[in-house]
Amino acid sequence: GKVTATTVQFDTTIDLKAMSQYDEAGLIFSSVDDLDISAETATIFQITRESYSKVFTGLTYNTKYYYTTYLKKGMFYLYGDKKEFTTPDVLLELSAGSITATSAQITGIVEGLSESDKSLIEVGMFYSSESGKVEKGEGTKLTASEIPSDNAVSFDLSELTYGTKYYYCSYVKQGNG
């Protein structure tokens, strides 16, 4: 299948004739290494056709996920080999562009996002004249209003104080986290 920062696509093909002796076949995946059919953290998907493709959304970037197949006969489950994948990390590398006495332009490229991920991820920066603040998510916060198709973002800092040293760092946020 295909893995992005927030989605995974599973492509499955099963032999329906061989499967006729079982009541159910499916796929289980989770970010927790507990792939039991009754695990609260597991996402379960029943496979009912010979060839099937399913996209799961809402995954967290830079996270390891585990998955396996299962077969059910009566009250018993048979599990396949456990496998894993990791969603890519999302990075925003920033660099200072044009700088004047009272303004600066900070630019960057967002890495690790597909087009479908862009609506789920917020990127931006913090800046401050005080050392150590921006790394804690303090200072002035600027957020990219959108991530364009070339993944290039730009932030305009204005009303800066002449002769003052400024610090900046990027942030990447998913959901309310």
Side-chain angles (χ1 to χ4, degrees):
K2 179 181 174 188
V3 178
T4 74
T6 63
T7 65
V8 63
Q9 177 178 323
F10 289 104
D11 300 316
T12 308
T13 304
I14 60 174
D15 181 346
L16 291 179
K17 193 172 186 176
M19 296 303 301
S20 63
Q21 63 181 318
Y22 297 99
D23 301 328
E24 185 178 310
L27 175 83
I28 303 170
F29 86 97
S30 175
S31 61
V32 178
D33 190 5
D34 180 10
L35 295 176
D36 186 88
I37 198 82
S38 62
E40 290 183 17
T41 58
T43 299
I44 301 157
F45 174 67
Q46 188 174 349
I47 300 167
T48 56
R49 295 188 298 204
E50 186 173 9
S51 181
Y52 208 91
S53 182
K54 172 73 175 168
V55 176
F56 294 94
T57 60
L59 280 61
T60 303
Y61 65 89
N62 196 30
T63 301
K64 185 184 286 188
Y65 288 88
Y66 304 89
Y67 68 99
T68 190
T69 54
Y70 72 89
L71 299 171
K72 179 182 179 188
K73 184 162 179 102
M75 295 178 49
F76 299 99
Y77 289 89
L78 176 65
Y79 297 98
D81 293 335
K82 179 173 51 174
K83 298 180 181 178
E84 60 187 54
F85 65 90
T86 301
T87 52
D89 200 359
V90 177
L91 302 172
L92 173 57
E93 298 276 339
L94 296 175
S95 60
S98 63
I99 299 173
T100 70
T102 59
S103 68
Q105 184 178 56
I106 309 295
T107 60
I109 300 290
V110 182
E111 298 176 10
L113 283 183
S114 70
E115 284 299 316
S116 63
D117 296 327
K118 289 181 180 180
S119 64
L120 304 172
I121 303 289
E122 176 183 294
V123 297
M125 65 168 287
F126 288 96
Y127 73 95
S128 175
S129 60
E130 294 179 47
S131 176
K133 274 188 110 174
V134 295
E135 295 84 356
K136 299 177 195 171
E138 299 173 356
T140 303
K141 178 181 177 181
L142 299 176
T143 302
S145 58
E146 68 176 295
I147 303 170
S149 60
D150 64 357
N151 289 355
V153 293
S154 178
F155 304 96
D156 293 317
L157 287 58
S158 60
E159 300 181 21
L160 302 176
T161 304
Y162 175 77
T164 302
K165 183 176 185 174
Y166 285 88
Y167 304 87
Y168 64 91
C169 75
S170 63
Y171 75 88
V172 176
K173 177 180 162 187
Q174 181 175 358
N176 296 326

